[in-house]
Amino acid sequence: MNRMVYYDDNVLGSLTLWPVLIGLGVLPSFIYLIASINIPETPYYLLRHGRKEEALDVLTELRKNEDESVAKQEADEIENEIGDSAKVFGIVKILKNKQYRNQLIAVFALYANLMLCGVNNILFYSDLIFKEAGISADNVTFATIGVFALQFVMALIGAKFVDRFGGLKVTIAGSIGFIVSLTLFTVSQAMVYKQNSAVSSPLHTTADEQLLTNGSAFASVTHSTFTAETTSLIASAQDGANPWSFVSVLAIGIFMVAWSGGTHISTFALLGELTIEPTRATCFSYGNAVMWTTSWIVSFVPPYLQEALGPYSMVIWLGLTVFFLVYMVICIPDTKGRTTKQIQAKFGGKTDSSASFGIVLTEVESLNV
């Protein structure tokens, strides 16, 4: 939608029509409001308020392909997790206990990985990549919309993958996709830079014009400065579409498939499985702060990275993705087919996964955590 607001006067991006586009945001909200009437309360909410039969009905409906005993077992686990009270642990109490501290770190890592893979860097600068691939200025916005339509399609497919393989495996697969995409993109941009540098010399002296002349995809310009002048600079820097620029487009496609059909879907499912009732609200609150902070960083830092690193500006996101991948493999337990007790045993550093969940809570309370 933002692409049409800022770039395409032929759709809804004109000075007179952009309010119409903004107003269209009411439509999906209204549809959700109507549809939410048929959404049941969560089993956690129902069990917290003593409505066990309703909770069993919801769990049975959600687990259609499972035996009824599975729903009863899950309800018992939720009741043990909730305990006798609906006490919520604050940040200080969580930090004082190893098990819950590891939960918080895992939540922070997953939220940060969602943004620090460089997704906003891709979203904000995709139009310029397509221009360098030889797509006409009149069609570049529609090309961008087409590529990002993959988000919707892959979200549907990704949900099936999460159900089948579990959130952790899908998140790890998404990170591997990021690594392949960012590596491919960096190599392609380095080749474009090298080839253009070999056949031409800089025509301008400022840093931004230098980067544009060298044909780099992520030019250090923002939407407010992306004018007809910068467009002409890009066009004049290339006699035709560089084959390596099409590799950049392919890398963008791989990235969006990995993010929309993998990490973006699986992260939120995994977060709920890694936390427990007393810690979930606090972990999610601080985790959201981490996510939006990193989102801001990834949105505003790229121009400066481009100025400093040129075609290698995406390497920082590549390095962070590798870091979070290693952390997930080593420190985050696989939740697929595992009970809450087994998952929390991993966070608590316990090898006996049969330890009573209630005992763990009792130990925490005895420490005034």
Side-chain angles (χ1 to χ4, degrees):
M1 290 294 188
N2 287 333
R3 301 289 175 186
M4 291 185 279
V5 169
Y6 288 109
Y7 292 119
D8 202 317
D9 291 339
N10 295 322
V11 188
L12 291 174
S14 66
L15 292 175
T16 56
L17 291 178
W18 71 264
V20 177
L21 179 60
I22 298 299
L24 289 177
V26 173
L27 183 59
S29 299
F30 180 75
I31 294 174
Y32 174 79
L33 180 64
I34 299 301
S36 65
I37 297 175
N38 296 319
I39 299 177
E41 296 287 356
T42 66
Y44 276 93
Y45 174 85
L46 294 171
L47 289 171
R48 196 185 301 121
H49 290 80
R51 297 156 61 180
K52 187 169 184 178
E53 290 301 322
E54 293 180 59
L56 285 173
D57 291 340
V58 173
L59 286 169
T60 302
E61 179 67 20
L62 293 174
R63 309 289 185 262
K64 287 183 177 180
N65 297 326
E66 302 286 349
D67 188 83
E68 186 176 343
S69 61
V70 174
K72 292 182 179 179
Q73 179 182 352
E74 189 170 351
D76 291 338
E77 292 177 0
I78 294 174
E79 284 186 315
N80 289 334
E81 183 178 323
I82 294 174
D84 295 331
S85 66
K87 183 175 181 180
V88 176
F89 292 166
I91 187 65
V92 175
K93 293 182 179 181
I94 290 176
L95 291 175
K96 287 181 178 179
N97 179 270
K98 178 181 179 181
Q99 175 184 337
Y100 301 132
R101 183 171 61 249
N102 286 336
Q103 282 184 37
L104 182 66
I105 294 171
V107 169
F108 282 2
L110 289 170
Y111 270 123
N113 178 63
L114 193 63
M115 292 291 121
L116 291 179
C117 61
V119 61
N120 286 351
N121 203 154
I122 298 291
L123 292 172
F124 287 2
Y125 293 90
S126 59
D127 277 9
L128 189 53
I129 297 173
F130 289 131
K131 282 186 173 71
E132 292 195 342
I135 298 175
S136 67
D138 293 336
N139 295 323
V140 68
T141 299
F142 297 103
T144 299
I145 294 172
V147 169
F148 289 106
L150 284 172
Q151 289 182 305
F152 176 74
V153 176
M154 292 309 303
L156 297 178
I157 299 175
K160 297 294 183 181
F161 287 154
V162 173
D163 288 340
R164 181 170 181 179
F165 300 107
L168 181 63
K169 289 186 177 68
V170 175
T171 303
I172 289 175
S175 294
I176 294 173
F178 297 152
I179 292 172
V180 171
S181 171
L182 295 173
T183 301
L184 193 61
F185 183 86
T186 300
V187 170
S188 65
Q189 289 303 287
M191 293 302 298
V192 170
Y193 182 92
K194 180 179 179 180
Q195 291 174 5
N196 288 337
S197 296
V199 299
S200 63
S201 59
L203 300 177
H204 303 272
T205 57
T206 65
D208 288 347
E209 292 174 343
Q210 174 89 33
L211 291 168
L212 286 168
T213 303
N214 285 335
S216 177
F218 285 147
S220 65
V221 292
T222 61
H223 292 309
S224 61
T225 61
F226 192 81
T227 62
E229 180 182 356
T230 56
T231 306
S232 64
L233 284 171
I234 296 172
S236 64
Q238 296 178 316
D239 294 329
N242 191 312
W244 282 104
S245 293
F246 289 101
V247 177
S248 299
V249 176
L250 174 62
I252 297 301
I254 295 173
F255 188 97
M256 293 314 303
V257 167
W259 192 80
S260 302
T263 303
H264 185 234
I265 294 294
S266 59
T267 294
F268 296 102
L270 187 58
L271 288 169
E273 295 170 334
L274 293 176
T275 54
I276 57 176
E277 186 72 7
T279 65
R280 188 169 292 124
T282 301
C283 287
F284 280 19
S285 296
Y286 284 90
N288 271 283
V290 169
M291 183 182 72
W292 289 115
T293 301
T294 54
S295 176
W296 178 86
I297 292 172
V298 179
S299 300
F300 287 93
V301 165
Y304 303 100
L305 291 178
Q306 175 61 42
E307 184 174 357
L309 303 176
Y312 303 100
S313 60
M314 299 292 282
V315 169
I316 186 172
W317 311 130
L318 176 59
L320 287 169
T321 300
V322 172
F323 170 79
F324 286 120
L325 176 60
V326 172
Y327 171 80
M328 287 188 289
V329 171
I330 296 176
C331 300
I332 296 183
D334 190 0
T335 59
K336 179 67 174 177
R338 295 189 178 183
T339 65
T340 300
K341 292 184 295 184
Q342 293 170 326
I343 295 169
Q344 295 309 311
K346 171 72 173 180
F347 281 134
K350 301 178 184 296
T351 56
D352 183 9
S353 62
S354 63
S356 171
F357 184 81
I359 292 177
V360 175
L361 287 179
T362 302
E363 291 174 349
V364 174
E365 291 297 334
S366 67
L367 293 173
N368 294 322
V369 176

